[in-house]
Amino acid sequence: MTMCAEQGKRWLAAWRRSRSTHHAIISKSTLAALLSLLLAGAAHAGQPAADRLERVVILTRHGVRGAMSTPEELGGYTRRAWPSFSAPPGILTAHGATLLTMMGGWYRARYQAAGLLGAGDCAVYLWANHTQRTVATAKALAQGLAPGCALAVNQSLQDPDPLFDAPLTAFAPPDSARLLAAISARVGGNLAAWDARQRPRLDRFEALLLQCARTPCSAEERGQVQHRLGDTPIVMRLDDHGALQLSSPALAVGGLAESLIMAYADGLDFAGWRGMESSRLGPALAVHGAAIDLRTRTPEVGRQSSSYLAMRLLATLQRGAGVPVLADPVGDSQKIVVLAGHDGTLTMLAGLLGLNWQLPGYGAGEAAPGGAILFELWRRGAQRQPFVRVLYAAQSLDQMRYLTPLSLHRPPASETISVARCPDRERGCPLDAFTQHVLRQIALPAQCKAAIAARRNITRAILTQ
């Protein structure tokens, strides 16, 4: 395991170098500060030191893709013809690529204004999962974020990549019994009761899908489709092979809801459909948000799926702060690191770390196409202490549908996210406190815990010097 075995010697050597370097930096920065005060004069002596942005990690979902099912398959759940995508199933659409380039342009404008990027700056590192839509997402983002730069899209030599799909690798085999216990605890041991509480939300979604005259749909209207969501069995158990089985009518909306979102965001024509505007689409998708929350934001799900990602992300921020890293960082010295994954990449990490957001027109904690969690590393105050500020940003459904240009004055929707034990969300969380929070939440093999604890103590000492 990289963070525990062969990296141990490298980490210790890096710490020894950083400790001596750290003291040198302190002495030089102190001298520079004294000279600055002498030159600036007493009139400026009382001014606070300006905050400085050092590094950003953009953890993004892929952009708008073709539906994973055919229009005929999707049409079995509705009384209207389903629109057809120009892209094959699961492939990033041309419209989606344009949206991502626009989003990348906004990132560039934002981080140039913050002083992180200069004109013509190519200090961006791209890492994507092993799917066409994630690789294409990284490329499209780079066209706006780093125009004119010849940036490679990096990938793991392993497929699946443990950064995005750890439970599919030998790195983090799933503990299905613990997953079952955790999800069962969230629904009070009664999935049927949880599903019943979602019924009003499910009725709104079904009324849009079936184009019913009113909500809830009548038995006659429900009888006019080939497949009914209400027929989905309620199951919460381990099968004969020990795999988790989880299903219910409310949980069955996933693929249909995602296909609706993608079709609307892609600007497709819903010929003959009523109520296909964002003001009605958002509320109808609330049941999808509840299903995502249970399936992916249950902390144990994130603990098993996203602990490796959390440690690599933390190490990337630590490298940006110039402190010893607790795992292998992603990238090298680049100012911006882009990780292109899937919706579960964001929601499972968010569930693990307790990161919550809700943008207008979306459900709580929903990961929109092309939306991203932004981890910004800042130096704050006269002591230049490192802080982590976390945000979520995504284009609205209408910004995506109508290709609305983005700028600093017309930005995508965004929300600053608070981190546990760091209530000042706008200021952010001290890197040491953020590190401790990550280490409290993640799952580590037993042989790693002592090594991580020792490294954490030394890192805390360096940060507080």
Side-chain angles (χ1 to χ4, degrees):
M1 182 175 179
T2 308
M3 70 180 72
C4 304
E6 61 268 15
Q7 190 182 340
K9 293 181 180 179
R10 297 201 309 271
W11 183 90
L12 184 57
W15 168 66
R16 287 170 174 161
R17 290 194 303 271
S18 70
R19 186 168 68 167
S20 59
T21 303
H22 176 78
H23 288 300
I25 291 172
I26 290 292
S27 60
K28 290 179 182 178
S29 64
T30 302
L31 178 60
L34 289 172
L35 290 173
S36 176
L37 285 174
L38 288 171
L39 293 172
H44 298 282
Q47 291 186 356
D51 294 341
R52 187 176 72 223
L53 184 59
E54 298 278 352
R55 172 169 283 197
V56 178
V57 177
I58 300 174
L59 180 65
T60 185
R61 184 190 181 184
H62 61 75
V64 177
R65 55 157 173 76
M68 304 303 287
S69 303
T70 67
E72 293 73 26
E73 291 169 334
L74 294 168
Y77 290 88
T78 183
R79 296 195 297 159
R80 297 287 184 270
W82 203 277
S84 297
F85 286 85
S86 58
I91 300 299
L92 190 75
T93 70
H95 187 102
T98 299
L99 291 170
L100 288 161
T101 299
M102 294 166 64
M103 195 71 174
W106 176 74
Y107 289 138
R108 184 167 188 83
R110 173 183 175 85
Y111 293 124
Q112 281 185 328
L116 180 67
L117 293 177
D121 205 330
C122 295
V124 176
Y125 185 88
L126 308 172
W127 186 279
N129 197 14
H130 288 278
T131 60
Q132 185 278 340
R133 57 187 176 274
T134 50
V135 174
T137 289
K139 291 179 179 177
L141 265 177
Q143 289 180 17
L145 178 56
C149 299
L151 299 179
V153 178
N154 298 278
Q155 291 181 291
S156 169
L157 295 177
Q158 294 177 259
D159 187 9
D161 182 347
L163 201 63
F164 302 100
D165 296 306
L168 300 181
T169 71
F171 186 88
D175 186 335
S176 299
R178 287 180 64 91
L179 290 177
L180 175 62
I183 293 174
S184 179
R186 289 201 64 195
V187 299
N190 190 334
L191 184 60
W194 175 88
D195 193 84
R197 292 194 294 273
Q198 312 310 316
R199 190 71 225 189
R201 296 174 175 178
L202 183 61
D203 286 342
R204 286 197 297 272
F205 179 77
E206 188 180 51
L208 180 66
L209 204 63
L210 273 62
Q211 296 288 283
C212 299
R214 60 184 57 85
T215 304
C217 297
S218 67
E220 179 182 358
E221 288 169 323
R222 287 176 177 145
Q224 294 174 7
V225 294
Q226 183 178 356
H227 303 295
R228 292 179 294 274
L229 291 171
D231 294 340
T232 305
I234 296 177
V235 177
M236 183 174 63
R237 64 175 181 233
L238 300 181
D239 65 17
D240 294 339
H241 302 286
L244 177 63
Q245 289 187 314
L246 193 69
S247 69
S248 79
L251 292 171
V253 305
L256 295 166
E258 285 294 328
S259 295
L260 272 177
I261 293 170
M262 296 295 176
Y264 185 89
D266 205 43
L268 301 187
D269 182 16
F270 285 84
W273 289 63
R274 300 186 311 274
M276 287 306 298
E277 55 268 351
S278 60
S279 60
R280 294 185 62 181
L281 185 59
L285 293 169
V287 65
H288 181 44
I292 291 173
D293 181 75
L294 183 62
R295 282 188 181 278
T296 68
R297 291 179 66 94
T298 296
E300 180 61 30
V301 175
R303 195 166 289 116
Q304 296 191 32
S305 301
S306 304
S307 289
Y308 180 72
L309 170 61
M311 283 302 297
R312 297 287 302 277
L313 189 151
L314 173 62
T316 306
L317 296 173
Q318 289 174 324
R319 172 176 280 177
V323 303
V325 298
L326 302 184
D328 282 338
V330 180
D332 191 8
S333 59
Q334 291 86 357
K335 299 172 185 177
I336 296 180
V337 174
V338 176
L339 302 174
H342 302 267
D343 54 341
T345 308
L346 277 67
T347 56
M348 288 187 288
L349 181 73
L352 172 66
L353 299 182
L355 307 178
N356 300 302
W357 65 84
Q358 183 164 9
L359 300 186
Y362 291 106
E366 186 174 349
I373 306 176
L374 313 178
F375 296 88
E376 298 180 344
L377 177 70
W378 289 83
R379 293 281 188 182
R380 298 201 186 282
Q383 300 301 315
R384 317 308 298 167
Q385 291 299 310
F387 277 72
V388 178
R389 188 165 178 257
V390 186
L391 305 91
Y392 179 78
Q395 291 149 297
S396 70
L397 288 172
D398 281 345
Q399 283 178 324
M400 287 191 280
R401 183 170 180 83
Y402 301 113
L403 291 172
T404 304
L406 301 177
S407 69
L408 293 178
H409 301 293
R410 299 182 67 184
S414 65
E415 180 180 326
T416 308
I417 301 171
S418 62
V419 178
R421 306 192 186 190
C422 296
D424 189 346
R425 67 173 65 189
E426 291 301 326
R427 179 172 174 79
C429 192
L431 178 58
D432 181 46
F434 184 78
T435 299
Q436 292 179 55
H437 174 61
V438 171
L439 295 180
R440 277 192 297 266
Q441 303 306 118
I442 63 173
L444 286 173
Q447 66 269 28
C448 295
K449 293 181 179 178
I452 291 294
R455 299 174 195 179
R456 177 177 56 185
N457 291 336
I458 296 173
T459 300
R460 185 185 300 121
I462 290 174
L463 287 171
T464 54
Q465 287 183 42

